[in-house]
Amino acid sequence: MKFKLNIVPGCEEVIEATVQMRSTLTDRIEQMVLRYTGEDQLPAYTEDDMLLLRYGDIECIRVMDGKTWASDKNGKDYRVKMRLSELEERLPQCFIRINKSALANEQHLIRFAAAFSGAVDAVFRSGRKEYVSRRCYAQIKRRYTEK
């Protein structure tokens, strides 16, 4: 497989791929291209400030007490004024749903840890742990076995 990127300032952007047949990779590339809006930052708020969080710096997004919070790779929490469903549509595919009220950036996941009770936790690089529901865990397992 070869990859070629031509950068021509001022021209209309066209993404074209020549493949022998459609595959899960081509489907993912197509979804990524169609979902891309040119943005890779999310407005986030602290008590005093508003800042733009880069998608790659976000480790986990969760809803607590009806409010949406994003945690960065350093473990700091920021308020996000969007619903989880809106974020799920906006964010790249590396953000996966891990339970009814949380999304995880799989690039920051270290492992899924099983407990004796049968519960599964997503363990992040910062040390944070988030509960993974059984339904979401089954979907995640299918996602990784298809790769």
Side-chain angles (χ1 to χ4, degrees):
M1 182 181 298
K2 295 179 182 179
F3 177 79
K4 183 178 180 182
L5 177 66
N6 296 321
I7 299 175
V8 182
C11 76
E12 180 186 4
E13 291 185 351
V14 176
I15 297 178
E16 183 177 314
T18 305
V19 295
Q20 293 176 355
M21 59 189 215
R22 194 169 196 83
S23 66
T24 55
L25 175 63
T26 59
D27 292 341
R28 283 188 172 180
I29 292 170
E30 181 181 23
Q31 288 174 358
M32 185 177 70
V33 168
L34 294 176
R35 289 173 70 183
Y36 182 69
T37 61
E39 299 175 359
D40 67 345
Q41 297 176 333
L42 189 65
Y45 302 85
T46 62
E47 289 180 16
D48 305 322
D49 301 324
M50 186 277 229
L51 59 116
L52 293 172
L53 270 179
R54 291 189 63 241
Y55 292 163
D57 292 339
I58 299 171
E59 191 173 72
C60 180
I61 299 173
R62 65 196 179 293
V63 177
M64 292 183 344
D65 300 324
K67 295 180 181 176
T68 307
W69 296 90
S71 300
D72 70 3
K73 60 186 175 184
N74 300 319
K76 191 168 182 186
D77 292 329
Y78 301 91
R79 174 89 161 83
V80 178
K81 296 182 179 180
M82 293 177 79
R83 302 182 74 112
L84 203 59
S85 58
E86 294 171 324
L87 289 167
E88 198 169 20
E89 289 177 16
R90 179 179 180 165
L91 293 168
Q93 274 193 312
C94 62
F95 284 87
I96 55 176
R97 186 169 288 270
I98 56 172
N99 64 46
K100 184 178 172 185
S101 59
L103 298 172
N105 185 342
E106 68 181 349
Q107 296 170 344
H108 290 276
L109 281 171
I110 295 175
R111 69 183 194 282
F112 293 99
F116 290 114
S117 63
V120 176
D121 287 333
V123 181
F124 296 92
R125 287 185 187 148
S126 69
R128 179 185 299 273
K129 291 182 180 180
E130 281 292 327
Y131 166 75
V132 180
S133 70
R134 282 185 274 169
R135 177 184 294 152
C136 291
Y137 187 64
Q139 290 175 345
I140 292 167
K141 278 176 63 174
R142 269 188 251 118
R143 177 179 174 142
Y144 286 124
T145 55
E146 289 177 0
K147 284 186 176 182

